[in-house]
Each structure stands twice: as C-alpha cells, then as structure tokens.
Amino acid sequence: DPLARGGSCSPSDSMIIYALVARGTCVLAEHTATAGNFALVTRRILERLPQEEGRASYSYDTSHSFHCVIRAGLAFLCMADSRTEQAAAHAFLDAVQSRWSAAYAEKGLTALAYAMNSQFAAVLKELMESFSSAAGSSAGGAAASSSDQADAANVSRVEGELEEVRQVMVENIEKVLARGEKIELLVDKTEHLTHQAFQFRRTTTRVKRGMYCKSLKLNLFLCTLLLLVIGVAVFGACGWSFSCGSHHPPSPSPSP
C-alpha cells in the first residue's frame, strides 16, 4: 500500500487524495491532505506521460489509481482510491482544468515550478472536497439500494473484471519503472567505463614515456662505456703521445 509508510485512507477520508497541475515534469501547483509517498510516484508517471492531448488512467495498486487529462501542453493529474469511478475522477480533472484556464490562461506554459501553488492549491483543495463529498454520497446511495441479488451479481462480476484490468496495469507500470531504472544503471556504467578508459589511456602514456626515458638513459650509458673502453685500449697501446706506428726497429751495426 503506497500510503502505509506515511498515512492511511479510511472510508471517511477524501476519495480524491492528491491532485496537481504540471508542465512536463515541472509541477506548477499541487495539493494533498494525506501523507504518503505518492508524490514521488507521481513524478515518475509525469516523466512517461505522452505529449499529445488525451485522457489516461493508471492503477498503482489494488487500492489506488492515477487519472490524468492532458490539454494545451499541461497535465492535470490526480490520485484517487479504488472507490472513485474513472468518470468521476476525469470530471474532477475537467473542473480543475476549467478553473485553471479561467485563472491563468496560457501563463502555465512559461511559469516556473510552483509559481501558482500559493493560490491554486486552495482551488484544488476546494474541488477535491467537493467531488469527494459528492462521490461519497453517491457511493452510499448505491450501497443502500443494492439489495437485489441480480444487481449484486453484476456488480461482483464487474468488480472482478476491473480487478483483473487493474492487476495488468500495475504490472505494466512496474515494468516501465524497472526499465527506466535499468536504463539509468546502464548509463551510469557507461560513464564509469568511459572514465576508466580515459584513466587507462593516461596511465599507458605515462608508462610509455617512462620506458622511453629509461631506454634512452641505458643507450647513453652503453655508448659512454664503449667509448671509455676504446679510449683505455688506445691509451694502453699507444701511450699519451699516440705514436703507435712511428717506432722503427734499430739499424744493424756493421760487423768488425
């Protein structure tokens, strides 16, 4: 349950739990009277909403659903419990969009994050309370008039079908979120490998330069040693006067 870590939703709580107006992932105004982590889930949903105008509903778990209306470049989104019909949630969003257009027209297309929150959050609260009260009264009347067994069977059948659809949508959202996390992990690994490759290239260049300097020093040392050996050999054979080839054998003395 997404509200288990921060709050709860009893039968007396609002049917509309959370509502916001956003441009892409930039939230312009929002309101909730219940604590929970659904705001974080909403941000993830905003990242994956289509750009074209239309309506959509996403089942988060067996107790809560997200409903969205996209118009004129803005997303009007709310979170409702499972007792709220999709038509009622979309009617609420239509009312939010109508009040927004009357108050701000096209200002939302260029406004900064939460620029309208101080004023429009009160409007969201008013509409949430109004629609939640109306939905609660409608649900109570329907429950009181459901004594007919045939109607009860039909309701049970429809609820079963809705539960199956809800489970499929929950699995689809989980797959989308998991795919997004895997892509982010892959990007992080790619950046890490790129950094490692750059460090390896720098290390290789430094090692090559070191080896070249060592080889040059060794060659210079060997040349110097060879010249020294040759010089010692020449000095030993010829002396300091370098007259190795100028000595002639003594002339034979005349015999008596």
Side-chain angles (χ1 to χ4, degrees):
D1 191 336
L3 301 179
R5 293 184 292 275
S8 61
C9 184
S10 63
S12 62
D13 287 336
S14 297
M15 303 288 282
I16 304 295
I17 302 170
Y18 175 74
L20 65 78
V21 181
R23 183 185 68 252
T25 58
C26 177
V27 177
L28 302 176
E30 65 179 349
H31 175 74
T32 179
T34 305
N37 67 343
F38 43 80
L40 176 61
V41 177
T42 302
R43 300 306 189 274
R44 303 297 297 273
I45 293 177
L46 287 176
E47 295 175 356
R48 294 164 173 80
L49 285 179
Q51 299 297 323
E52 60 272 10
E53 295 188 359
R55 301 174 182 269
S57 295
Y58 305 94
S59 180
Y60 182 64
D61 56 18
T62 57
S63 302
H64 304 88
S65 299
F66 288 93
H67 306 276
C68 181
V69 172
I70 302 176
R71 289 179 184 169
L74 299 179
F76 302 86
L77 186 143
C78 72
M79 178 181 180
D81 62 16
S82 58
R83 298 170 298 172
T84 305
E85 297 181 356
Q86 179 176 330
H90 285 174
F92 164 76
L93 294 175
D94 289 339
V96 172
Q97 191 271 333
S98 178
R99 295 284 293 272
W100 177 275
S101 298
Y104 303 111
E106 298 182 354
K107 293 181 180 179
L109 298 178
T110 57
L112 299 177
Y114 293 97
M116 289 78 170
N117 193 64
S118 60
Q119 298 178 353
F120 202 73
V123 177
L124 291 175
K125 178 182 179 182
E126 174 190 343
L127 292 175
M128 288 169 63
E129 292 175 350
S130 175
F131 273 80
S132 296
S133 299
S137 300
S138 176
S145 62
S146 61
S147 59
D148 187 86
Q149 295 183 353
D151 291 342
N154 290 334
V155 170
S156 178
R157 177 179 57 81
V158 172
E159 288 179 348
E161 294 175 353
L162 289 176
E163 180 63 25
E164 293 178 358
V165 174
R166 183 181 294 112
Q167 291 296 331
V168 173
M169 297 182 69
V170 168
E171 294 176 0
N172 290 339
I173 290 179
E174 290 176 350
K175 290 179 180 179
V176 170
L177 296 178
R179 183 172 178 268
E181 293 173 355
K182 289 180 179 179
I183 292 177
E184 293 174 356
L185 180 60
L186 180 60
V187 171
D188 291 340
K189 287 184 176 180
T190 302
E191 293 177 352
H192 181 65
L193 290 175
T194 302
H195 179 71
Q196 284 187 334
F198 177 75
Q199 293 294 334
F200 177 79
R201 185 161 56 250
R202 291 184 59 184
T203 302
T204 303
T205 302
R206 187 165 53 250
V207 171
K208 289 174 64 177
R209 289 177 180 175
M211 294 298 294
Y212 175 78
C213 291
K214 289 182 179 180
S215 177
L216 182 61
K217 290 179 180 179
L218 179 60
N219 291 335
L220 291 175
F221 174 77
L222 292 177
C223 290
T224 303
L225 181 61
L226 179 61
L227 292 175
L228 182 60
V229 171
I230 293 175
V232 170
V234 170
F235 291 154
C238 303
W240 292 100
S241 61
F242 293 93
S243 58
C244 299
S246 61
H247 294 283
H248 298 283
S251 302
S253 58
S255 57

